[in-house]
Amino acid sequence: MTSPGRTERLVLPGVLTAEQAARTVAGILATQRTDGAIPWFRGHHLDPWDHTEAAMALDAAGEHERAEAAYDWLARHQNPDGSWYAAYADGDAKAPTDRGRETNFCAYLAVGVWHHFLSTGDETFLDRMWPAVQAATEYVLELQQPGGEIGWKREDDGTPVNDALLTGSSSIYQALRCALALAEQREEPQPDWELAVGRLGHAIRSHPERFLDKSRYSMDWYYPILGGAVRGAQARERIDADWEQFVVPGLGVRCVLPNPWVTGGESAELALALWAMGESERAVQILKWMQHLRAEDGMYWTGYVFDDDAIWPQERTSWTAGSLLLAVAALGGDEATTTVFGGEHLPTGLPPDCC
């Protein structure tokens, strides 16, 4: 099992001790296949976004070789158009189970690669991964719409789905800024990406009508903040406006209204968003509340139906554990994690020349 000595940076009173953090990291490592793939749990599927989130948690815990193996898996199995499929059975690259190619899934590689580089300073890794990041970013931007938002995906036959998701586009906003940071590190300017970031950020901040209405989902509430497009007074107003709808005191964050179901991933991500907007005390409180989802093996149940007092579904996912570790890492001041989620040192792109 991972040594508690390697997870001292992940200690947060009332949330994790070093020993508890070590068990959680060990749980993610046990889920990872020998080829580097990190499915939700063994026997379930892998999707590229959650795979990357779990890899970032490994870097936050000092497990750099295992995180690198996860990124190498993505580089080896990238489609010729720069994408990945939405799901692979148990992380088997030869067994895709959803052949759609979702833009936010593909973009997130840039966040993970920049996080790994900041964690390790490994220029060789950056050079090796740059072609994959570049190809994925170009794939994503092919689906940017005239209003700046990013279309959701391409179907298996290549048909674009141009409807945009606010959560997905907010995640892509963070990813594009990390891609620009990687380009700056390599001294390879990407002016088209800068324009795309500016247009996307404007759409997220000012044009909710350009996105499908998914306001029942808590992710659409906090993701513009988590992705870095919304900050300051606008972020505080956004959080306060729907706090009582989505937050269940003592339990965590609802996934979707009006269902009596709190979920670990959304709780940890809200905590990370709260930290990013300077609300660390509220962030810690949310993480404390979600500890009722912690299992004996150090992993976290996906969710809890409080009307029925029932854990549901009966699964402990690598990405739920990963999101918790990343939130704790940010609160603890881990430099790589604070950089990619705080956003102060990420490129902001160019302002749009129209509205």
Side-chain angles (χ1 to χ4, degrees):
M1 188 174 82
T2 298
S3 165
R6 299 191 68 180
T7 50
E8 289 179 355
R9 73 185 81 182
L10 297 175
V11 171
L12 184 62
V15 178
L16 286 180
T17 65
E19 183 177 359
Q20 288 172 331
R23 287 186 65 82
T24 302
V25 175
I28 297 174
L29 291 172
T31 304
Q32 187 176 31
R33 291 163 44 118
T34 56
D35 63 359
I38 310 177
W40 286 22
F41 52 89
R42 293 311 305 270
H44 199 56
H45 74 254
L46 172 152
D47 74 71
W49 197 100
D50 289 311
H51 166 93
T52 299
E53 185 88 339
M56 291 169 66
L58 293 180
D59 265 326
E63 295 285 349
H64 302 309
E65 290 184 6
R66 299 292 289 271
E68 184 173 346
Y71 296 123
D72 284 338
W73 186 93
L74 288 170
R76 288 196 307 274
H77 301 301
Q78 190 172 32
N79 292 322
D81 65 357
S83 70
W84 291 270
Y85 296 123
Y88 301 83
D90 196 36
D92 183 350
K94 297 179 181 178
T97 55
D98 182 344
R99 299 179 71 92
R101 289 160 283 158
E102 299 189 20
T103 48
N104 70 301
F105 283 11
C106 299
Y108 208 51
L109 172 69
V111 181
V113 169
W114 186 233
H115 184 262
H116 184 80
F117 174 74
L118 293 172
S119 298
T120 64
D122 187 344
E123 292 276 1
T124 300
F125 167 82
L126 190 155
D127 291 343
R128 188 170 74 249
M129 294 301 300
W130 173 245
V133 170
Q134 194 169 25
T137 303
E138 293 293 343
Y139 168 79
V140 169
L141 292 182
E142 287 178 0
L143 274 78
Q144 187 164 37
Q145 305 303 301
E149 68 277 18
I150 307 291
W152 175 23
K153 66 177 180 177
R154 287 190 186 274
E155 302 288 9
D156 184 28
D157 65 0
T159 301
V161 178
N162 293 326
D163 292 333
L165 302 173
L166 180 58
T167 294
S169 284
S170 297
S171 178
I172 292 168
Y173 180 80
Q174 178 192 25
L176 291 177
R177 295 177 71 195
C178 289
L180 282 171
L182 288 162
E184 288 184 1
Q185 181 68 30
R186 291 182 53 80
E187 299 182 350
E188 294 189 27
Q190 302 291 331
D192 290 345
W193 298 2
E194 294 183 74
L195 290 167
V197 169
R199 292 170 59 216
L200 177 57
H202 177 73
I204 293 168
R205 286 186 292 272
S206 303
H207 290 283
E209 76 280 359
R210 294 178 183 170
F211 302 91
L212 294 176
D213 182 5
K214 301 289 183 179
S215 56
R216 293 175 56 232
Y217 292 84
S218 60
M219 288 191 295
D220 262 27
W221 169 51
Y222 64 75
Y223 242 94
I225 301 162
L226 181 59
V230 174
R231 286 287 193 267
Q234 187 180 5
R236 290 190 294 275
E237 291 171 4
R238 187 179 188 90
I239 289 298
D240 290 345
D242 287 328
W243 182 270
E244 292 186 1
Q245 285 198 91
F246 287 115
V247 175
V248 182
L251 295 178
V253 178
R254 293 177 190 257
C255 178
V256 57
L257 299 173
N259 298 2
W261 182 43
V262 294
T263 47
E266 277 78 359
S267 297
E269 286 183 337
L270 174 62
L272 192 49
L274 290 167
W275 165 82
M277 57 186 277
E279 295 276 357
S280 292
E281 288 187 10
R282 282 207 283 184
V284 173
Q285 185 65 73
I286 293 288
L287 295 179
K288 288 180 178 179
W289 286 345
M290 70 169 281
Q291 294 312 302
H292 69 100
L293 295 172
R294 185 177 176 88
E296 291 184 2
D297 62 358
M299 299 296 277
Y300 288 77
W301 297 103
T302 295
Y304 172 72
V305 181
F306 48 87
D307 275 4
D308 297 332
D309 189 24
I311 292 290
W312 184 84
Q314 289 285 320
E315 60 182 35
R316 301 184 301 280
T317 50
S318 57
W319 50 267
T320 300
S323 62
L324 178 281
L325 292 176
L326 288 171
V328 171
L331 284 158
D334 176 66
E335 184 175 356
T337 306
T338 58
T339 297
V340 298
F341 288 103
E344 291 86 354
H345 304 295
L346 292 176
T348 57
L350 298 175
D353 56 7
C354 67
C355 295

